Structures are given as structure tokens and as C-alpha cells.
Amino acid sequence: TFVKSSSASTMLIDRTWLAVTHHDRPDWPDCLDALRDARARAIRMEISHLAHAATRGISIIHDEYLNAPDRAIEEIAKSETELGTSPILQDERATILYHHKKYGEALDIWQRVLAKSDPTSDAYDITIWTHRNAGVSAAMLGKWSLAATLFAQGSNRAGGTGIGWATAGLLADAAYAHWRAGEHGQLVRALR
């Protein structure tokens, strides 16, 4: 499963670091050691999805819990040098930039990731949330028409997942962005 599915690999790794967030005193060094071990084993076993997911987990810990975004980016760059890049790593790099209000850089990465994504793939599907974050980035840059397009695309993708609240929320975001862009016809269609 992990050889074929980056989604399964990501869910496994996310369970590891998310479990630590529930501890009274999260032991991040221990968690980082476990993720580095998982990454090394995945490389030895030639399971690139799992290695990328472990790198993503390491980066999340550095960025979100240890307040070390530069270290998080370094981890991604190191992994890309060793294994090549992947949508998982590109999305995480953009997410770090987004967290630190570098919306233009994040948007550029997300647009490249989305241009290459396969809407019918069973592989790691970052595109619902990637569309949302890319849409917010476009809105923060005043690119309202682009934001509306990204939100609408995310809503379309969410519609196939059965996540009704995400489908509706992204469509409402698209409607708002159409309004801000002065695109009244699209606003009415989105609201309808």
C-alpha cells in the first residue's frame, strides 16, 4: 500500500506526530527521531512516498511546533536533493511560506502543483486544501478573480469526496471572491 499510495503513507506519518500533540509535554526530539528513522527505513526499502511523508512530518514539527521554519525548509530541500521532489514536499514548502505570510511565493508553488495534479488519481490528494490555501493566498494579494477560480475548483474536487461542508464552504468563498472581483454574474451562479 505504501509503495503505491502517498495518501496512505501521509496518513500513517500524520498519526505519529498528531499523537504527540495530545501529550501534556510533547517530546518533539523523540518524535523527530522516530520520523527520521521511518524516513531512513523507507529510503532503504525504496518507498519514496513514505520517505516524503516522513520529511513532511519532520518539517511540520519544525515549522508549527518548534518555530523553526528555516529548518523545516532545509529538511524539505535535503529530501529533494536525495530523493527528488514530490507534490507532498512542494505542498509543505508552500504551506510553510503561507504560514509566514509569503503569499506570492506560496501561490506560485501551489499553482505549479495544481497544474500537474490528476483529478482522477488515487494518489495523495492535496488539491482540496491546496485550492483553498492557494485561493486565500490569491485573495491576500488582491487577485480576486484568480481566488474565485481556485475556490471553485476546490469546491468541485470536494464534491467528489462527500465532504459537504468543504464543498459548500469553498463555493461560498468563490462567491465572495467573485463579488470582490466585480464578477456579478459568476457571483449569482455560485450563490445559486
Side-chain angles (χ1 to χ4, degrees):
T1 299
F2 299 120
V3 171
K4 294 179 182 178
S5 173
S6 53
S7 184
S9 297
T10 302
M11 286 191 294
L12 174 68
I13 295 298
D14 284 356
R15 286 185 63 181
T16 303
W17 64 264
L18 282 170
V20 176
T21 65
H22 299 297
H23 296 175
D24 291 336
R25 292 186 189 140
D27 187 347
W28 294 118
D30 184 57
C31 185
L32 287 168
D33 286 344
L35 293 178
R36 286 187 184 108
D37 182 54
R39 184 178 179 279
R41 290 171 188 261
I43 290 170
R44 280 195 305 274
M45 295 168 59
E46 299 180 359
I47 305 174
S48 61
H49 293 310
L50 191 57
H52 289 310
T55 299
R56 176 181 171 269
I58 292 166
S59 296
I60 288 169
I61 292 167
H62 281 297
D63 181 43
E64 296 182 27
Y65 298 97
L66 299 177
N67 196 28
D70 291 340
R71 182 67 192 271
I73 294 287
E74 286 172 16
E75 292 287 345
I76 292 170
K78 177 183 169 188
S79 185
E80 287 176 328
T81 299
E82 293 174 9
L83 303 168
T85 194
S86 75
I88 295 171
L89 297 179
Q90 291 174 28
D91 184 60
E92 184 55 27
R93 175 179 275 125
T95 300
I96 293 165
L97 293 167
Y98 174 85
H99 288 160
H100 297 280
K101 300 183 182 353
K102 296 181 180 179
Y103 300 115
E105 294 173 62
L107 180 60
D108 289 344
I109 293 169
W110 278 322
Q111 285 187 290
R112 286 193 303 270
V113 169
L114 291 170
K116 294 178 186 175
S117 70
D118 177 3
T120 62
S121 174
D122 289 332
Y124 182 70
D125 188 5
I126 57 174
T127 57
I128 295 167
W129 309 117
T130 302
H131 275 96
R132 183 221 173 254
N133 292 340
V136 170
S137 293
M140 296 302 287
L141 297 168
K143 298 179 178 183
W144 291 104
S145 187
L146 176 58
T149 298
L150 291 164
F151 289 137
Q153 289 171 345
S155 177
N156 289 340
R157 291 296 297 271
T161 66
I163 307 173
W165 60 268
T167 305
L170 286 163
L171 193 54
D173 288 339
Y176 177 78
H178 283 307
W179 174 71
R180 290 295 305 262
E183 300 167 346
H184 298 98
Q186 290 97 320
L187 162 65
V188 171
R189 277 190 290 283
L191 289 174
R192 189 176 326 128

